[in-house]
Amino acid sequence: MEKQTLISIYATELPENEKDDTSLNDLFYEGTETEYRLALRAAAEQVSGFLKNNKKPFSGIKPATLLAEFENISLDKPLPNYKSLFEEVNALYIKHATAFHLPQYIAHLNCPVVIPALAAEVIISAINSSQDTYDQSAGGTFIERRLIDWTGEQLGYSNQCDGVFTGGGSQSNLMGLLLARDYYALTYLNHNIKLDGHPANANRFRIFVSEKAHFSNQKNASLMGLGEQAIVKVATDERFRMDAANLEQAILDEMEQGNIPIAIVATAGTTDFGNIDPLQEIARIAKQFNLWVHVDAAYGCGLLLSEKYRHLLNGVEQADSVTIDYHKSFFQPISSSAFLVKNKLHLNIIKHHADYLNPQEQDYDALPAQINKSITQSTRRFDALKLWFTLRLMGKQKLGRYTDRIIDTTEQAACLIDEWEQFELLSHSDLGVLVFRYLPQHPGDIDTCAMNLHIKQTMFFNGEVLVASTRVKGQFYLKFTILNPLTTIQHIQNILTIIQKHGKEYEQRHHTPAYS
């Protein structure tokens, strides 16, 4: 019976009388449980094929070629069966999807994922709970709350902390800045921004960030109506970390100009260099000037798992709020992130009541509602279950060993690049990011920036190695982001050899020999 059903669901065209709008055979309910299991099995086969068939991180397909594949597809005409559907999706997506699990992918902050979290995804998508109120996700509410409490414990917070799962680091950073702004207005200006809008002097509010901090700070200041002018970039030290002396001077300079410092955003793991701002010094300065401290630990949160490197986050426990991205450094599928506050009462600033959802008269100790802690999501996926599966089956210590291995490999890679005469490394990393470039043997007539851009693009469209890039002081650099515990120093050696090969080929084509 099951074999026949598999043939039916996967390959046989549906009868005409089952294609009409009244057919319910595609809905997920007790009558379609067999079809559901068989559809998942077929999908799992596609995933297995993705793992077996990918020996390179990318197919190398050009955008114009891939775009042409979409031109003759009509979304108004359904496909006849699952077989046709999987064939189409394989051709359009799976065959060209970036394989983050391969060591040759070393570009952006995309980690390989752990299997327990993938098992949780099956339950999450099918049961489809929404995390806004208890009556929509009873057990899910307490699973999420327990994971927030656990994360707070790892940060060094007391039991007065609280938080909520979010869609990503940029959203969590927005929550941190919004609370910083509204807290300042309430505490020092006796002004409720939520009810009354910005005070007259809000255009003078200033938020201090490292010049290497995430771009979401500027976007979020703009979304909040403060404008990008509110963001003051502080110069960094030789390791591209916020310089505490420069921070203190920047605050004094803004005050002298009549502006109003309200917050500092410290970065625990910069996107470009993987380094951590001096959290304890920043906390001291914030206390001196009565400023809110938000720590963007979207990347560096993986250090919470490590006994060996946890000390690098010392001082984070003094922050008023923290961004955590489990889908960067806890090996979770996208999305899995969180925002935490040291004092749970601060979340009252963003609470809004709706009679149909979270009425004001409800006792939220007896009947909790996570929507009271969220600013941009009412309906919200139960992403916390993935982390629950991971911690309950693997444990913090095993995840921590993954983190240690990544950091150790990165330091070995940094030393290797440092020792290799044809490469220039800008900085060692606290985590897993290395910014460097290949140097020409004949620098006089070779554009170093153009050569490194060529190296990156050639590897990308060959599909052999994917690296990232950035600019530092106007110069183009290559960037390794090591987030895979499977990556070894041998893989790094091979990637550097490939980079050198393409660099030499470029130089041979563009070098003009000198004649006497």
Side-chain angles (χ1 to χ4, degrees):
M1 174 66 179
E2 187 172 300
K3 182 178 180 181
Q4 180 61 41
T5 309
L6 176 59
I7 295 172
S8 173
I9 194 170
Y10 190 72
T12 305
E13 189 166 343
L14 291 173
E16 287 299 323
N17 65 347
E18 292 188 17
K19 290 183 178 180
D20 58 46
D21 292 338
T22 61
S23 175
L24 301 177
N25 64 332
D26 295 313
L27 283 178
F28 176 66
Y29 73 109
E30 68 275 11
T32 55
E33 185 267 339
T34 299
E35 285 80 0
Y36 166 74
R37 285 192 293 107
L38 293 168
L40 281 193
R41 184 185 301 173
E45 285 300 315
Q46 295 296 315
V47 176
S48 295
F50 175 76
L51 292 175
K52 292 174 184 175
N53 298 331
N54 278 298
K55 307 305 178 187
K56 301 190 300 182
F58 180 53
S59 68
I61 192 168
K62 297 287 181 68
T65 304
L66 185 56
L67 181 60
E69 297 289 324
F70 287 82
E71 290 179 354
N72 296 321
I73 293 175
S74 171
L75 294 178
D76 295 324
K77 184 180 179 181
L79 294 168
N81 48 52
Y82 274 95
K83 181 176 185 295
S84 301
L85 176 59
F86 282 123
E87 287 175 351
E88 179 182 271
V89 170
N90 183 66
L92 297 176
Y93 170 62
I94 297 174
K95 193 163 71 172
H96 308 298
T98 304
F100 300 130
H101 64 279
L102 293 177
Q104 292 80 13
Y105 178 87
I106 198 168
H108 302 290
L109 286 166
N110 306 104
C111 62
V113 296
V114 292
I115 294 173
L118 296 178
E121 286 278 15
V122 177
I123 296 174
I124 293 166
S125 60
I127 297 179
N128 203 32
S129 299
S130 180
Q131 287 298 98
D132 40 344
T133 56
Y134 180 83
D135 63 335
Q136 296 177 74
S137 186
T141 295
F142 290 114
I143 285 176
E144 179 171 327
R145 286 187 163 207
R146 183 65 190 91
L147 287 170
I148 290 293
D149 290 344
W150 176 85
T151 304
E153 292 166 8
Q154 308 312 305
L155 289 169
Y157 280 172
S158 74
N159 60 6
Q160 293 305 302
C161 76
D162 202 354
V164 68
F165 271 63
T166 69
S170 294
Q171 182 182 337
S172 295
N173 286 342
L174 173 60
M175 293 183 73
L177 294 191
L178 187 145
L179 286 184
R181 179 199 64 181
D182 288 18
Y183 173 80
Y184 182 89
L186 279 172
T187 305
Y188 299 105
L189 304 178
N190 196 29
H191 181 93
N192 190 324
I193 289 180
K194 184 172 73 171
L195 298 179
D196 303 322
H198 278 147
N201 55 0
N203 66 322
R204 294 191 283 120
F205 286 179
R206 294 294 182 266
I207 299 161
F208 299 84
V209 307
S210 156
E211 62 183 355
K212 297 301 177 185
H214 196 260
F215 71 93
S216 63
N217 293 298
Q218 285 91 316
K219 290 185 68 174
N220 291 336
S222 177
L223 288 170
M224 289 162 50
L226 297 177
E228 293 189 13
Q229 64 163 2
I231 300 297
V232 178
K233 293 186 178 182
V234 178
T236 54
D237 63 15
E238 71 282 353
R239 286 280 297 267
F240 302 96
R241 302 167 297 196
M242 183 188 287
D243 185 277
N246 289 337
L247 169 63
E248 191 164 358
Q249 187 59 53
I251 294 170
L252 293 171
D253 289 345
E254 291 297 326
M255 292 172 65
E256 187 175 340
Q257 295 171 38
N259 293 321
I260 306 171
I262 64 169
I264 304 169
V265 177
T267 306
T270 53
T271 305
D272 267 354
F273 292 94
N275 286 330
I276 297 169
D277 290 342
L279 303 180
Q280 299 192 74
E281 275 294 288
I282 290 170
R284 178 191 64 78
I285 293 169
K287 185 175 182 180
Q288 176 185 342
F289 291 99
N290 295 318
L291 305 182
W292 183 284
V293 176
H294 175 71
V295 173
D296 178 1
Y299 178 19
C301 62
L303 295 170
L304 297 174
L305 301 167
S306 170
E307 293 182 9
K308 184 175 181 181
Y309 296 107
R310 171 60 180 82
H311 66 277
L312 295 172
L313 281 182
N314 287 350
V316 70
E317 72 282 353
Q318 299 181 62
D320 296 287
S321 58
V322 180
T323 287
I324 300 289
D325 263 12
Y326 307 109
H327 64 222
K328 284 189 175 67
S329 298
F330 279 60
F331 311 100
Q332 299 296 290
I334 301 167
S335 52
S336 183
S337 304
F339 172 75
L340 282 89
V341 288
K342 187 176 184 178
N343 183 346
K344 62 184 178 182
L345 296 179
H346 289 151
L347 288 174
N348 290 334
I349 292 173
I350 59 173
K351 186 186 296 184
H352 182 86
H353 292 286
D355 290 337
Y356 62 86
L357 195 63
N358 58 333
Q360 193 157 3
E361 65 273 12
Q362 183 169 314
D363 181 349
Y364 289 100
D365 289 328
L367 196 62
Q370 293 296 89
I371 194 172
N372 290 333
K373 308 169 189 178
S374 179
I375 60 169
T376 58
Q377 294 173 288
S378 297
T379 303
R380 187 165 55 82
R381 201 169 181 267
F382 182 27
D383 286 312
L385 187 62
K386 294 178 286 191
L387 183 59
W388 186 271
F389 264 52
T390 301
L391 288 175
R392 298 301 292 144
L393 194 62
M394 295 178 61
K396 171 187 170 182
Q397 288 73 23
K398 187 170 186 179
L399 290 172
R401 288 195 291 273
Y402 287 177
T403 299
D404 293 346
R405 183 179 299 183
I406 289 166
I407 295 174
D408 291 343
T409 299
T410 302
E411 182 54 28
Q412 293 176 49
C415 293
L416 179 61
I417 295 170
D418 254 344
E419 295 165 2
W420 205 318
E421 186 179 351
Q422 289 304 119
F423 291 99
E424 176 192 18
L425 178 70
L426 284 189
S427 173
H428 285 241
S429 179
D430 292 329
L431 296 169
V433 183
L434 299 174
V435 175
F436 66 99
R437 60 182 176 175
Y438 180 77
L439 298 174
Q441 291 181 320
H442 306 90
D445 59 352
I446 297 294
D447 184 332
T448 304
C449 292
M451 180 176 64
N452 281 274
L453 175 60
H454 168 81
I455 292 169
K456 178 190 174 184
Q457 292 179 339
T458 301
M459 292 192 301
F460 178 73
F461 286 116
N462 287 346
E464 56 187 338
V465 176
L466 267 61
V467 302
S469 61
T470 191
R471 285 190 177 271
V472 180
K473 296 180 180 178
Q475 297 296 300
F476 185 90
Y477 287 85
L478 303 174
K479 183 169 73 170
F480 284 171
T481 306
I482 302 172
L483 267 181
N484 191 343
L486 295 171
T487 301
T488 66
I489 193 62
Q490 287 73 34
H491 291 121
I492 302 296
Q493 172 91 41
N494 292 339
I495 292 170
L496 291 171
T497 300
I498 292 170
I499 291 172
Q500 184 182 48
K501 176 176 75 76
H502 291 304
K504 285 182 176 180
E505 290 172 354
Y506 181 91
E507 192 166 8
Q508 287 171 2
R509 290 196 300 271
H510 292 84
H511 171 53
T512 304
Y515 293 98
S516 56

